[in-house]
Amino acid sequence: MNTRQEILALLRGQQIGKIPVSLYKIDPYDEKSFWAGHASFSHLLEKMRSSCHNFYFFRPNTGFFFSDPSTIDVKEERTQDSRISEVVTLTVETEKGLLTRSARTTKLSNQQWVLKPWITTPHDIEKFLSLPYTPCKLDLKNFFEKEAAYGDKSMPLISLPDPTGVTGFLFAPGDLPKFLLDHEKLVTQLFEIFAERLENIYRDISTLVHNVIIRIRGAEYLTPPILPIEYFRNYKDVFINYVIKPDAKLINILRSGNLNYVCYHWHDIRENLLPYVLRLGIDILEPAISTIEVPMTIAKIRKIAGPNITLMGGPAIEDIEFRSSYEIAELCRDSIVQNGRSTKFVLIPSDVPSSIPLSPQTEENLLAMINTANNFTAII
């Protein structure tokens, strides 16, 4: 069997005779990717093509916050601020004033550093609420072309936000809880609008694709420690009302369409909130991260989740970047053992390198991770 066949078999609970390992967000077959553009990644990409279960991420074009591109004009201005970086400013005109977002990008990283988020004041929320809306019609032509070109050598994954993920993106890191505390009514209106618009997107996706993974992201924006329990004594209620309830509707929409698999992306998984997420009827939960400082995390999650949920997890990217290859190999073996007797496990890091060049130590540790999974034979 090849990658896609084996991942689908694993999701159905079949034994595939190996521990799947993936660097997940890195697509080794994409010659135009950030990683393929630098020679320091060449050996790692070659190793991935020969020894990993690879995924390719696809994010559909959904217009400006799910409104048809013809409805809202987004102006972009680029200003070179150094030899290797530039500032990108986006501007949208509304009946209540201008909305702007500025971020710095650099040739040395695929990350953005936000200088000014979309929302910094309550009035900015009112500007968003005043925007016109025409439902965005999804165009998945690029996805189907890539699916046909890759065949079964890679597992397709469509990445979508939930209302929390969309709303959290609009604020500076950590500001969503503050605004929720001080301006609950306005923030709730924003959530409700995005929830309604996302239902249309999810409904289209559910009937257009088949046998792919649909990855939902956003829950961590309203999960402690980002949601400070010192100010939100009722943090469980906040999580249920703003994360679980809207996500339940979206997942039900996906279930009513073609056969696909729901992946729930959730950093900082909390054991006392996990049962609410499991009731959503997800197929995959990630990332379940095990570290030297906080051991047995995967075992605890597996105990709560039971044997039928596919867990994806392994070492943290911070450990991969700074620890020895011996320590990483031990962390990977420990992650696999913690999963127990369930066949539903994929070894992944918490994240992937986002800057160039790739350091020799990080490369050595990622190779150690791949080799550990490939050589692990004590399965079930």
Side-chain angles (χ1 to χ4, degrees), residues 62-207:
T62 55
F64 186 74
F65 293 95
F66 319 112
S67 192
D68 188 272
S70 64
T71 305
I72 300 173
D73 182 30
V74 182
K75 297 178 181 178
E76 180 182 289
E77 179 183 353
R78 292 179 174 267
T79 306
Q80 197 81 24
D81 70 337
S82 79
R83 184 172 56 85
I84 61 170
S85 66
E86 63 180 3
V87 174
V88 181
T89 301
L90 302 178
T91 303
V92 173
E93 188 174 345
T94 79
E95 63 182 37
K96 292 182 177 291
L98 295 179
L99 278 168
T100 61
R101 178 185 188 267
S102 296
R104 176 174 285 110
T105 64
T106 170
K107 297 177 182 178
L108 302 181
S109 175
N110 64 350
Q111 300 294 311
Q112 288 189 339
W113 287 265
V114 177
L115 305 176
K116 181 197 173 298
W118 286 111
I119 293 177
T120 58
T121 69
H123 187 52
D124 288 333
I125 300 179
E126 294 173 346
K127 294 175 188 177
F128 260 101
L129 296 174
S130 73
L131 283 169
Y133 171 61
T134 301
C136 178
K137 185 173 178 58
L138 282 184
D139 181 1
L140 298 183
K141 178 183 176 182
N142 291 340
F143 172 79
F144 291 125
E145 288 178 350
K146 201 163 193 177
E147 185 179 34
Y150 280 22
D152 287 339
K153 67 183 180 182
S154 193
M155 183 69 206
L157 181 153
I158 295 178
S159 182
L160 295 173
D162 65 4
T164 307
V166 180
T167 308
F169 171 79
L170 300 177
F171 297 85
D175 267 9
L176 174 58
K178 180 179 181 298
F179 273 76
L180 187 58
L181 201 63
D182 297 337
H183 310 283
E184 182 179 3
K185 185 176 180 180
L186 277 175
V187 174
T188 300
Q189 285 180 271
L190 204 58
F191 265 89
E192 290 172 347
I193 283 178
F194 290 143
E196 181 180 351
R197 296 180 184 184
L198 278 167
E199 287 180 14
N200 295 325
I201 301 294
Y202 275 64
R203 192 169 290 108
D204 287 345
I205 288 285
S206 72
T207 58

Side-chain angles (χ1 to χ4, degrees), residues 181-243:
L181 201 63
D182 297 337
H183 310 283
E184 182 179 3
K185 185 176 180 180
L186 277 175
V187 174
T188 300
Q189 285 180 271
L190 204 58
F191 265 89
E192 290 172 347
I193 283 178
F194 290 143
E196 181 180 351
R197 296 180 184 184
L198 278 167
E199 287 180 14
N200 295 325
I201 301 294
Y202 275 64
R203 192 169 290 108
D204 287 345
I205 288 285
S206 72
T207 58
L208 292 173
V209 300
H210 179 258
N211 258 352
V212 308
I213 293 172
I214 299 174
R215 180 181 185 253
I216 302 174
R217 66 186 189 276
E220 60 261 27
Y221 281 107
L222 288 178
T223 301
I226 293 179
L227 184 73
I229 58 177
E230 296 84 358
Y231 297 100
F232 290 89
R233 300 292 183 180
N234 62 334
Y235 72 91
K236 286 186 181 180
D237 293 334
V238 173
F239 189 78
I240 290 170
N241 290 328
Y242 289 95
V243 179

